[in-house]
């Protein structure tokens, strides 16, 4: 039996779906959200929350063993990391349980726990209910992309969806993939005492980041004990007689074998669309993502899509923004393109690696007139007080401290520091203006350490300006060097 038409049917209860449903419900539109699993999506249950909780547990363990004592004498007889994953699950369940159907109801949104399938271009089936809709939003997220490797399907491997179910950190771990998940989990488990090796197909880790900064981060993790095998073409996976796993890879034409107790596959993610029956609704898309225009609208003008499922920016914060943006375009006729100019993200290792806007390479490809300003994040006294790992920041800006195009920071709390540059890009604040702001001492901000501020001052005046000021003011000036 069909319902009366819904203003908006949202498929998926993760960040994008919740963001869209919340906007629609608060604006008074008749809205229903369909989710077959737990509200909150992958981020809340198997990605962002548990991974950052594990990184925090590992950081605490590492600092007790290796961190600065700040003049305090300590004698540590025993540190047991075996409960770290149990604590991660406690944190995940506590935060995840905050996303409840009751909260959706408070916003005027009905919740259906079931699998959603398109019946046709205007109807969605959820169990035995057929829901006619004026507008629909696909927000089903993504799932681990598992490569086709001989023996892998017969091997009990881990992904981010099963990693945090481990009873305790394993003695050894092989990680296939040197992207954000692979790098973060490599540091976390290494710090908890696991012997970690990362196999990466490319000749570098974190290819979406600046090569110099990504290399510096890898070298820091190597100093902590993580091993990296770059240029690894994984060919075969096998179970060993003692319950471990063996990975065979080609590296520089030479075959090498790696063995560990556990194997984590961290080779990216793909759109979760298999059960949607997109063809029935006249929508293009597949594992690479649902096809949308710059307004997040699919081939079917009544259906929008947002979040990981469109394969653009697979980050929770971007999914939330996209979901809200798509809902406004679908319901109130905003018809506004989605902008990613000030979109940023962070790798939450220690030190953190954060980025917003364009990279140096992208600036070159786009033909932008720019300068690269290098700032040492260890310059602020706060970094030295806290004995934080060294890093570097690169600010891409127009000449003479002009418009900021991008920023990338490797250093303590880079995820927070980069927000200053995010706001500047979003609101057109120049690097010169940002550097002139008053920054609280001794905060970890960077803009007031910007090089070339005197050059910017000189550039605003004619070449003889300083000489005239000194002469008219009766100043002697510094004698020229011989």
């Amino acid at each position: 039996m069909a319902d009366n038409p819904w203003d908006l049917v949202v498929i998926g209860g993760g960040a994008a779906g919740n963001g869209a449903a919340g906007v629609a419900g608060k604006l008074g539109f008749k809205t229903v959200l369909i989710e077959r699993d737990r509200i909150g999506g992958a981020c809340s249950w198997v990605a962002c929350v548990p991974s950052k909780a594990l990184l925090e547990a590992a950081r605490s363990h590492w600092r007790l063993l290796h961190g600065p004592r700040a003049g305090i004498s300590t004698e540590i007889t025993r540190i047991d990391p075996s409960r770290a994953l149990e604590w991660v699950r406690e944190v995940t369940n506590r935060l995840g349980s905050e996303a409840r159907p009751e909260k959706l109801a408070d916003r005027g949104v009905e919740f259906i726990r079931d699998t959603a399938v398109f019946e046709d271009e205007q109807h969605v089936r959820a169990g035995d209910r057929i829901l006619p809709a004026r507008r629909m939003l696909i927000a089903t997220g993504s799932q681990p992309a598992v490569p086709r490797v001989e023996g892998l399907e017969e091997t009990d491997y881990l992904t981010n969806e099963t990693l945090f179910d481990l009873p305790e950190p394993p003695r050894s771990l092989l990680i296939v993939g040197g992207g954000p998940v692979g790098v973060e989990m490599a540091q976390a488990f290494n710090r908890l005492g696991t012997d970690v090796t990362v196999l990466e197909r490319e000749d570098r880790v974190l290819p979406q980041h600046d090569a110099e900064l990504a290399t510096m981060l890898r070298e820091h993790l190597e100093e902590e004990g993580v091993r990296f095998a770059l240029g690894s073409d994984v060919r075969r996976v096998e179970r060993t007689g003692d319950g471990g796993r063996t990975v065979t890879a080609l590296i520089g034409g030479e075959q090498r074998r790696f063995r560990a107790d556990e194997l984590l596959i961290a080779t990216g993610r793909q759109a979760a669309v298999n059960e949607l029956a997109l063809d029935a609704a006249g929508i293009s898309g597949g594992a690479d993502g649902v096809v949308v225009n710059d307004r997040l609208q699919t081939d079917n003008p009544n259906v929008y899509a947002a979040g990981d499922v469109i394969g653009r920016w697979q980050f929770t914060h971007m999914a939330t923004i996209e979901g809200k943006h798509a809902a406004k375009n679908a319901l109130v006729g905003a018809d506004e393109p989605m902008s990613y100019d000030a979109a940023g993200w962070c790798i939450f290792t220690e030190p953190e690696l954060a980025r917003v806007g364009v990279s140096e390479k992208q600036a070159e490809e786009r033909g932008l007139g720019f300068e690269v300003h290098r700032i040492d994040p260890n310059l602020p006294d706060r970094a030295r007080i806290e004995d934080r790992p060294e890093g570097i920041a690169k600010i891409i800006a127009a000449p003479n401290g002009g418009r900021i195009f991008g920023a990338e920071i490797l250093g303590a709390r880079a995820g927070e520091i980069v927000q200053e540059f995010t706001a500047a890009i979003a609101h057109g604040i120049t690097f010169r203006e940002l550097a002139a702001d008053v920054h609280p001492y001794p905060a970890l901000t960077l803009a007031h350490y910007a090089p070339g501020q005197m050059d910017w001052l000189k550039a605003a005046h004619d070449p003889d300006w300083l000489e005239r000021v000194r002469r008219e003011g009766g100043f002697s000036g510094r004698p020229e060097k011989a």
Side-chain angles (χ1 to χ4, degrees), residues 274-400:
N274 290 343
E275 298 181 355
L276 285 173
L278 294 175
D279 290 346
I283 299 170
S284 301
D288 292 337
V290 173
V291 178
V292 295
N293 60 21
D294 61 357
R295 287 156 175 77
L296 305 180
Q297 188 178 41
T298 70
D299 297 338
N300 181 337
N302 295 317
V303 181
Y304 291 72
D308 282 13
V309 76
I310 64 175
R312 291 184 178 178
W313 296 71
Q314 294 181 333
F315 301 105
T316 300
H317 52 286
M318 289 309 302
T320 301
I321 296 298
E322 287 175 347
K324 294 178 178 180
H325 195 88
K328 289 188 290 185
N329 281 346
L331 297 172
V332 301
D335 198 35
E336 297 175 353
M338 182 71 200
S339 173
Y340 299 96
D341 290 345
W345 67 90
C346 182
I347 308 298
F348 288 94
T349 49
E350 188 177 34
E352 294 177 355
L353 178 58
R355 175 184 158 186
V356 63
V358 302
S359 65
E360 182 177 355
K361 181 179 179 181
Q362 289 173 327
E364 290 175 351
E365 292 172 347
R366 298 181 187 184
L368 300 175
F370 69 94
E371 296 174 339
V372 180
H373 302 274
R374 298 170 65 94
I375 308 174
D376 182 355
N378 209 35
L379 279 172
D381 288 350
R382 181 70 170 271
R384 288 181 281 183
I385 290 169
E386 296 183 358
D387 193 26
R388 296 287 185 170
E390 296 182 0
I392 193 172
K394 290 185 177 182
I395 315 303
I396 314 300
N400 298 321

Side-chain angles (χ1 to χ4, degrees), residues 62 66 183 186-187 190-191 194 196 198 213-228 350-351 387-391 410:
W62 186 262
H66 305 282
V183 169
Q187 184 177 53
N190 175 72
R191 286 183 161 191
T194 300
V196 178
V198 179
L213 273 62
T215 298
M216 290 177 66
L217 176 57
R218 173 180 58 78
E219 291 172 346
H220 178 80
L221 298 188
E222 287 175 332
E223 290 174 2
E224 290 190 0
V226 179
R227 289 189 294 273
F228 289 87
E350 188 177 34
D387 193 26
R388 296 287 185 170
E390 296 182 0
L410 175 68

Side-chain angles (χ1 to χ4, degrees), residues 5 61 134 149 217 262 264 281 287 307 336 413 423 448:
H61 180 254
R134 295 182 174 87
V149 175
L217 176 57
E262 297 287 351
L264 171 63
E336 297 175 353
R413 300 176 193 166
H448 57 311

